[in-house]
Amino acid sequence: MKIVTQVKLMPEADQAAALSATLRTVNDLACWVSDVAFAHGVPREYELRKHTYPRLKAEGLGAQAAQHTIKKVRDAYTTLKANIRAGNLGKEGSKRRCKAQSKPITFRPEAAQPYDDRCLSWQYDQQTVSIWTTSGRLKHVRFVCSAGALKVLQQYRKGESDLIERDGVFYLIATCEVPEAEPYEPDRFLGVDLGIVNIATTSTGYQAAGRQLNRYRKRQRALRAKLQTKRTKSAKRRLKERSRREQRHVRNTNHIIAKTIVTEAERTSAGISLEELKGIRQRVRLRKPQRVALHSWAFAQLGEFIVYKAKRAGVPLVFVDPAYTSQTCAECGHVDKRNRVDQGLFICRGCGVVAHADRNASHVLARRGEHAWTAGRESRVPATP
């Protein structure tokens, strides 16, 4: 299983200048490579190398840096093609899709640049790196990270690392191949119902309320709007300082929720049953005041965190169809739209059971997870002679 570990670089003033100049140079050249690729109909990487490699070398890039710049451009076009094929940029002839196809891909001056072990070496004991730049090799560039992240880097780092600049600070994002634990045979399944009012509700009783997070988002939106209307230098500086703060807060909240769910499942020898919500934003039609809440709902991120933490812990996990889980009674299985009285109340029209709506849905998901696991695992019945 591949995960990424981020470390923060602490370069000296001259080292920071060299790193910044390197990123701007390679990304300017990447834009030129993109123009060449677009003019030649986006050829394969080997063919693109014939048109661009000599100039990249003449501009001062090393052999590996030049190869990575070409590969970065080709991968960007591959991603664009995949998004078009998947319909993520709209239907054929749509304005957004035509705009994406009508011009070359461009790269920001501080966009990520990949490094392999020939361009970047790590000294874990000293917590320093040696890294290639257009000004030569920089040695003894310090980095900081948590003790857990350093341990993961030492044991599992493998492959490329990306150098990025974010708000004047440099980071290295390293790829680590962490072995997956062997999944055990679950005694039962823990259903996880995802939502906006309650971020996650499990069939074991755990409930992560979204009230605090939704209030935080509302305050952040109001503050951004207030600063944007001022249009002063100090307001713009404050906006820049606060950029991505909400994303970091949501990410941390999702990590905590995911860890709690996986730990509970591991402690009780249970599997996890998650609802497959992919495409929900395209399927659901909401009034304008509700759209902000839906489109800021980080359910996919929470799902990814639960998946990778479950794999590391060896917890079995299945995805199930979420259709009608809010209308289905976990006791008798009766399905009726009227069962869901309001956001938090469920009253079955068939058997009369009264329950919390999200808790009831989590029990339905747990049962579906058990059925999916039973249907998917190998039969232990001896073969007929």
Side-chain angles (χ1 to χ4, degrees):
M1 175 181 62
K2 289 187 178 181
I3 64 172
V4 294
T5 301
Q6 179 177 284
V7 302
K8 181 180 179 180
L9 295 182
M10 306 292 288
E12 303 293 339
D14 56 337
Q15 294 174 337
L19 291 173
S20 181
T22 299
L23 281 180
R24 277 149 182 77
T25 299
V26 295
N27 284 304
D28 285 344
L29 291 172
C31 290
W32 171 76
V33 174
S34 179
D35 292 339
V36 174
F38 188 80
H40 288 81
V42 191
R44 293 181 180 272
E45 184 180 337
Y46 182 76
E47 183 67 23
L48 182 59
R49 196 177 300 159
K50 293 180 181 179
H51 297 291
T52 57
Y53 184 77
R55 178 176 169 180
L56 294 179
K57 288 286 291 181
E59 292 286 345
L61 296 192
Q64 289 300 111
Q67 302 281 14
H68 283 305
T69 301
I70 297 170
K71 187 176 183 297
K72 178 170 75 170
V73 174
R74 191 63 187 82
D75 289 345
Y77 278 102
T78 302
T79 302
L80 175 63
K81 186 177 179 180
N83 283 327
I84 292 173
R85 187 168 56 248
N88 297 333
L89 298 178
K91 298 179 181 178
E92 186 175 358
S94 66
K95 185 177 180 180
R96 185 182 179 192
R97 182 167 173 175
C98 291
K99 183 179 180 181
Q101 292 177 304
S102 62
K103 60 181 181 180
I105 293 175
T106 58
F107 296 85
R108 294 176 289 105
E110 66 278 4
Q113 175 66 12
Y115 281 77
D116 60 16
D117 289 342
R118 296 183 183 181
C119 307
L120 174 70
S121 60
W122 299 75
Q123 296 81 45
Y124 301 112
D125 294 335
Q126 295 81 23
Q127 286 195 215
T128 61
V129 295
S130 173
I131 187 170
W132 171 89
T133 67
T134 52
S135 303
R137 189 94 175 185
L138 295 182
K139 297 183 178 180
H140 309 298
V141 181
R142 294 188 302 116
F143 70 85
V144 293
C145 63
S146 66
L150 182 61
K151 186 177 180 181
V152 171
L153 282 172
Q154 288 178 307
Q155 294 180 349
Y156 306 119
R157 189 198 65 81
K158 186 177 181 180
E160 296 180 352
S161 302
D162 288 345
L163 172 68
I164 63 171
E165 181 182 358
R166 188 185 298 146
D167 298 331
V169 181
F170 296 94
Y171 298 90
L172 277 172
I173 302 177
T175 304
C176 301
E177 289 193 8
V178 180
E180 298 181 13
E182 186 69 24
Y184 52 80
E185 185 68 25
D187 296 335
R188 58 192 180 87
F189 268 81
L190 183 152
V192 182
D193 180 67
L194 304 179
I196 297 175
V197 175
N198 294 309
I199 302 173
T201 304
T202 69
S203 54
T204 56
Y206 171 69
Q207 188 175 70
R211 184 178 183 182
Q212 183 178 2
L213 181 60
N214 292 330
R215 284 183 172 181
Y216 176 82
R217 286 185 183 278
K218 187 176 181 180
R219 288 198 305 270
Q220 294 300 310
R221 285 198 302 270
L223 181 58
R224 283 196 299 269
K226 184 178 179 180
L227 291 173
Q228 286 167 353
T229 54
K230 288 186 177 297
R231 305 177 66 86
T232 60
K233 286 186 178 180
S234 60
K236 292 177 181 178
R237 184 172 63 250
R238 289 290 303 277
L239 280 169
K240 187 175 181 180
E241 290 173 355
R242 301 184 66 85
S243 65
R244 288 184 291 274
R245 181 173 294 187
E246 183 178 329
Q247 293 180 15
R248 292 193 296 270
H249 182 77
V250 173
R251 188 179 184 88
N252 181 64
T253 302
N254 283 338
H255 267 300
I256 294 172
I257 295 171
K259 186 175 181 179
T260 303
I261 292 172
V262 173
T263 302
E264 174 68 13
E266 185 181 15
R267 184 183 64 83
T268 57
S269 298
I272 297 176
S273 176
L274 277 178
E275 48 188 338
E276 178 58 74
L277 295 175
K278 187 176 181 180
I280 190 172
R281 291 191 174 99
Q282 289 74 33
R283 296 195 303 268
V284 176
R285 297 180 64 87
L286 296 173
R287 293 174 295 180
K288 192 171 182 179
Q290 298 173 309
R291 293 173 193 167
V292 174
L294 177 67
H295 288 279
S296 60
W297 180 26
F299 67 88
Q301 185 186 77
L302 176 58
E304 290 173 0
F305 289 170
I306 294 175
V307 168
Y308 98 80
K309 291 179 190 295
K311 286 182 178 180
R312 291 190 67 177
V315 176
L317 185 144
V318 294
F319 282 91
V320 298
D321 185 6
Y324 304 107
T325 51
S326 63
Q327 303 173 16
T328 304
C329 178
E331 296 294 330
C332 66
H334 178 68
V335 182
D336 194 325
K337 187 176 181 180
R338 297 173 298 171
N339 287 350
R340 184 72 178 262
V341 179
D342 56 29
Q343 192 281 323
L345 182 61
F346 183 92
I347 302 177
C348 180
R349 300 282 174 170
C351 65
V353 68
V354 179
H356 188 280
D358 293 340
R359 190 71 49 77
N360 174 80
S362 68
H363 284 288
V364 175
L365 290 168
R367 187 171 301 169
R368 291 185 182 182
E370 291 177 1
H371 294 162
W373 179 262
T374 304
R377 67 185 179 188
E378 295 182 2
S379 174
R380 290 178 172 77
V381 179
T384 304

Coordinates of all heavy atoms in Angstrom, one line a residue, residues 34 52 121 137 156 213 262 360:
S34 N 5.1 21.5 -22.7 CA 3.7 21.3 -22.9 C 3.2 21.9 -24.2 O 2.4 21.4 -25.0 CB 2.9 21.9 -21.8 OG 1.5 21.8 -21.9
T52 N 12.3 17.6 -27.2 CA 12.6 18.6 -26.1 C 13.8 18.4 -25.3 O 14.3 19.3 -24.7 CB 11.4 18.5 -25.2 OG1 11.2 17.2 -24.7 CG2 10.1 18.9 -25.9
S121 N 18.9 12.6 -1.9 CA 19.3 11.6 -0.9 C 18.9 12.1 0.5 O 19.0 13.2 0.8 CB 20.8 11.3 -1.0 OG 21.6 12.4 -0.7
R137 N 24.4 21.0 -6.4 CA 23.9 20.1 -5.4 C 23.9 20.8 -4.1 O 24.9 21.4 -3.6 CB 24.7 18.9 -5.3 CG 24.2 17.8 -4.4 CD 23.4 16.8 -5.2 NE 22.9 15.7 -4.5 CZ 22.2 14.7 -5.0 NH1 22.0 14.6 -6.2 NH2 21.8 13.7 -4.2
Y156 N 10.0 2.6 5.2 CA 9.2 2.3 4.0 C 9.4 3.3 2.8 O 8.7 3.1 1.8 CB 7.7 2.3 4.4 CG 7.4 1.4 5.6 CD1 6.9 1.9 6.8 CD2 7.7 0.0 5.5 CE1 6.6 1.1 7.8 CE2 7.4 -0.8 6.5 CZ 6.9 -0.3 7.7 OH 6.6 -1.1 8.8
L213 N -18.0 21.5 13.3 CA -17.4 21.7 12.0 C -18.2 22.6 11.1 O -17.6 23.4 10.4 CB -17.1 20.3 11.4 CG -16.4 20.3 10.0 CD1 -15.0 21.0 10.2 CD2 -16.2 18.9 9.4
V262 N -11.7 2.8 12.9 CA -10.9 1.7 12.7 C -10.4 1.0 14.0 O -10.4 -0.2 14.1 CB -9.7 2.1 11.8 CG1 -8.7 0.9 11.6 CG2 -10.1 2.5 10.4
N360 N -30.1 4.0 12.9 CA -30.9 2.9 12.2 C -30.2 2.7 10.9 O -30.0 1.5 10.5 CB -32.3 3.4 12.0 CG -33.1 2.4 11.1 OD1 -33.6 1.4 11.6 ND2 -33.2 2.7 9.9

